[in-house]
Amino acid sequence: MNNNENSAGTQLSAVAIAQEQSKLKAVELCRKGGSFEVLWTKSSDGGSTDWRGFAAQCGLGSGPRESAESEGGRTVVVGFDSAEVVFHRIGMPVVEKEDIAAIVKLQAESRLPLPAEQMELTWRAAHMRDGEMTVTVAAAKKERLQGFVRDVSGLEPAKILLDCEGVVKVWKTFFSGDGRDAVIVNAEERSMQVCLAEDGQLSNAVVLDMGTEDFSVVGGSAEQTEAAERFAQDMRSVLDLFGCVEPTAMKIFVLSDGSDAIEAIIGSLRSAGLSASAALPDVGKPGAQAGPDAEDIYEYRVAIGLALIALDPEADELNIFEQIYSPAKKEGKKYWLYSPRITGAIAAIMLVLLLIVSYRVDVAVPNAIEEILEASISEADMALIMKRRELMETVARERPDILDLIKIVNESGAGGIKLDDLHFRKGQPVSVSGQAPNEGALYKFEKTLQNNKNIKDAEIKSSSKSPQGGKLKFTITFSYKNFSQRKGRR
């Protein structure tokens, strides 16, 4: 964030800029203790999307070497359009944190629309239920991310955030949201962001190519009726994608300014049997001392959400730009040790010393190690060390290799098989579900699993045609090594 201390009496502020349709919108949000206040808002003129020019209009330095992070003690962040991002939710057994990245990469690569080297992805572990962990994965085309960095590089923002995360954040803070599971709809003129929030965090998001202008036709015309039916059908598909077992029970909140178009959107969802309601700005909510009226809060809702993330010291955002963008840091005072000439001389001296020491070690070490071992370790101690080593090897053999299992399944399904879920628990058969393009590919997948030396009893338990695209949804079970066998108590 910035260098100000985050205490009850300290005032922090963040400037956030987001693009909505063909317009840039900015806001400065101030945090003092547990309350927030919107200091100012600004929109670009005439549909301009010149990031650097708009930043200058907002009073931010636009020089190529000036860090926006230190702009008057304010943190500057920008939002990236979530329409450019594909989200996936991956279920996996609970594993060590360092293993999650490898598992995510293996599972995500089979779902990416382009080769892995052309994509950038990030992930965030969500809730754990019934011994399983859900991970949200966001992926985008690397070339598009690099292009956006070039667009905003003159601002040198402290962070580049996904705008859909701002939607969830502003819903919680200024629209009476909470930590429950819910779907939030952010309707713009020609598009809609549909965000799944779980435990107060973004879990999935989809952008629909219809917006408020489709519901602004007066008089309930045939065009509006057709738009309402198409929207309700799209929302049901989105809820299915989000994994909602009972779509009618999922709460849907539409961010609203009370306009007729928003009411028509809510009405179309209710007519389809979905539980939809308006979420209006609540400037009287504790901690949301907004300053401007509710109309401004709605107008600048995405930028406000991004600023809220920037001011949250515990924010765990999906940083898809982590490998693409690094904010510029202020250069500190250079000391003599950092002089290239002196550093080079020190490196040369260290290299000579390393060669001398390496030579002496190569000559002396083999005999020296034997002498030290003989002098310091007794026969009994050595036997104990060997026994411990054997025990560690035995424990390692008894520990399931989840990465190896996922690799086996992915390689066996090469050629059109898309995996949706893998369930593994010791003492139970492994269950794998997914989609196959046809019966031939499914039986080939089953046969490949059966031929693997680490797998036994691979069998298709169920298969049915998906209504979308005629693909086969399937479930296959099998035993993995000796981990699927039930072991009785001794």
Side-chain angles (χ1 to χ4, degrees):
M1 281 174 32
N2 53 38
N3 295 327
N4 293 345
E5 293 180 4
N6 185 9
S7 59
T10 302
Q11 181 170 304
L12 304 173
S13 72
V15 176
I17 306 176
Q19 181 173 344
E20 296 182 35
Q21 303 296 339
S22 57
K23 184 179 285 189
L24 295 175
K25 296 181 180 181
V27 63
E28 181 170 5
L29 190 69
C30 167
R31 176 179 182 175
K32 189 171 184 180
S35 298
F36 297 98
E37 181 182 358
V38 177
L39 300 181
W40 55 262
T41 60
K42 189 172 183 61
S43 296
S44 61
D45 300 322
S48 172
T49 55
D50 176 11
W51 288 84
R52 183 180 293 189
F54 180 64
Q57 292 176 29
C58 296
L60 304 176
S62 57
R65 297 191 56 79
E66 192 167 352
S67 174
E69 186 175 4
S70 59
E71 273 287 352
R74 299 173 293 186
T75 298
V76 178
V77 297
V78 298
F80 181 69
D81 187 358
S82 300
E84 306 275 359
V85 182
V86 176
F87 293 87
H88 295 289
R89 297 173 73 210
I90 295 176
M92 66 177 69
V94 178
V95 296
E96 297 295 330
K97 187 175 181 180
E98 55 268 22
D99 293 332
I100 297 177
I103 296 174
V104 166
K105 187 177 180 181
L106 281 171
Q107 291 206 38
E109 283 184 356
S110 64
R111 308 181 185 195
L112 296 178
L114 293 171
E117 61 272 12
Q118 297 180 31
M119 301 291 291
E120 195 70 31
L121 61 86
T122 187
W123 57 269
R124 176 173 61 210
H127 53 266
M128 287 180 282
R129 293 175 183 169
D130 301 325
E132 287 194 352
M133 178 190 306
T134 302
V135 177
T136 296
V137 180
K141 194 175 180 180
K142 190 176 296 185
E143 182 181 357
R144 181 65 190 96
L145 299 179
Q146 293 167 339
F148 186 75
V149 168
R150 287 192 294 270
D151 291 342
V152 302
S153 59
L155 284 71
E156 295 186 0
K159 288 181 179 179
I160 302 177
L161 305 169
L162 298 180
D163 60 2
C164 57
E165 292 222 87
V167 170
V168 174
K169 192 73 171 179
V170 77
W171 167 71
K172 284 184 61 183
T173 307
F174 283 102
F175 287 81
S176 298
D178 49 34
R180 80 180 102 172
D181 293 355
V183 171
I184 301 101
V185 178
N186 176 39
E188 297 178 359
E189 190 176 356
R190 292 183 295 278
S191 66
M192 288 192 203
Q193 290 174 310
V194 185
C195 306
L196 174 64
E198 294 180 310
D199 300 326
Q201 282 190 317
L202 177 78
S203 288
N204 208 334
V206 171
V207 177
L208 303 179
D209 61 350
M210 59 188 310
T212 54
E213 69 176 13
D214 294 290
F215 294 86
S216 299
V217 183
V218 180
S221 65
E223 291 88 349
Q224 190 178 34
T225 302
E226 182 185 347
E229 291 175 353
R230 179 160 59 92
F231 174 59
Q233 184 177 354
D234 287 348
M235 281 297 296
R236 282 191 171 274
S237 298
V238 169
L239 294 175
D240 183 55
L241 175 69
F242 287 171
C244 300
V245 179
E246 298 180 18
T248 56
M250 175 60 75
K251 297 292 183 182
I252 302 173
F253 296 96
V254 182
L255 302 186
S256 174
D257 59 351
S259 66
D260 291 341
I262 297 295
E263 288 301 315
I265 289 171
I266 295 170
S268 68
L269 293 174
R270 288 176 175 170
S271 297
L274 301 176
S275 178
S277 58
L280 294 161
D282 184 4
V283 294
K285 185 178 179 181
Q289 300 174 4
D293 56 24
E295 184 179 345
D296 284 332
I297 297 299
Y298 179 79
E299 177 69 20
Y300 294 91
R301 57 197 180 278
V302 176
I304 290 173
L306 298 175
L308 287 167
I309 295 173
L311 292 174
D312 185 354
E314 298 180 358
D316 178 25
E317 69 272 8
L318 287 163
N319 189 4
I320 200 168
F321 286 86
E322 186 173 8
Q323 305 299 325
I324 303 293
Y325 174 74
S326 297
K329 300 295 181 182
K330 295 174 69 176
E331 292 186 4
K333 194 185 292 184
K334 288 189 176 181
Y335 295 93
W336 66 270
L337 185 59
Y338 295 97
S339 166
R341 186 175 298 176
I342 294 176
T343 304
I346 293 174
I349 294 170
M350 294 299 292
L351 179 60
V352 172
L353 289 174
L354 178 63
L355 291 173
I356 295 171
V357 172
S358 298
Y359 172 75
R360 299 189 65 156
V361 168
D362 286 343
V363 173
V365 159
N367 293 330
I369 290 177
E370 289 182 6
E371 292 174 3
I372 292 171
L373 286 174
E374 289 176 1
S376 60
I377 302 178
S378 66
E379 223 174 273
D381 290 335
M382 183 60 74
L384 181 60
I385 290 172
M386 295 303 294
K387 188 174 290 186
R388 285 179 178 172
R389 182 176 176 181
E390 290 174 5
L391 180 60
M392 289 173 67
E393 290 176 350
T394 302
V395 170
R397 284 194 299 270
E398 289 297 318
R399 183 181 296 145
D401 188 345
I402 303 299
L403 293 177
D404 178 63
L405 173 58
I406 292 173
K407 184 178 179 182
I408 289 172
V409 174
N410 277 333
E411 289 178 351
S412 300
I417 299 293
K418 288 193 174 182
L419 303 178
D420 296 330
D421 190 32
L422 184 150
H423 182 273
F424 170 80
R425 185 170 293 174
K426 290 184 72 172
Q428 296 180 6
V430 178
S431 174
V432 175
S433 60
Q435 296 182 35
N438 50 56
E439 290 185 354
L442 178 57
Y443 290 127
K444 182 180 178 182
F445 180 41
E446 179 190 42
K447 188 70 174 176
T448 306
L449 288 172
Q450 290 171 347
N451 292 336
N452 190 286
K453 64 179 182 180
N454 295 314
I455 288 177
K456 296 178 182 178
D457 305 323
E459 181 183 0
I460 300 171
K461 284 295 182 182
S462 65
S463 64
S464 60
K465 269 199 172 179
S466 171
Q468 294 92 11
K471 292 185 178 180
L472 284 173
K473 287 189 172 183
F474 67 84
T475 300
I476 289 181
T477 62
F478 57 82
S479 298
Y480 174 56
K481 295 185 178 179
N482 62 335
F483 299 117
S484 300
Q485 300 172 1
R486 287 187 175 274
K487 296 184 179 180
R489 296 183 179 178
R490 295 182 180 178

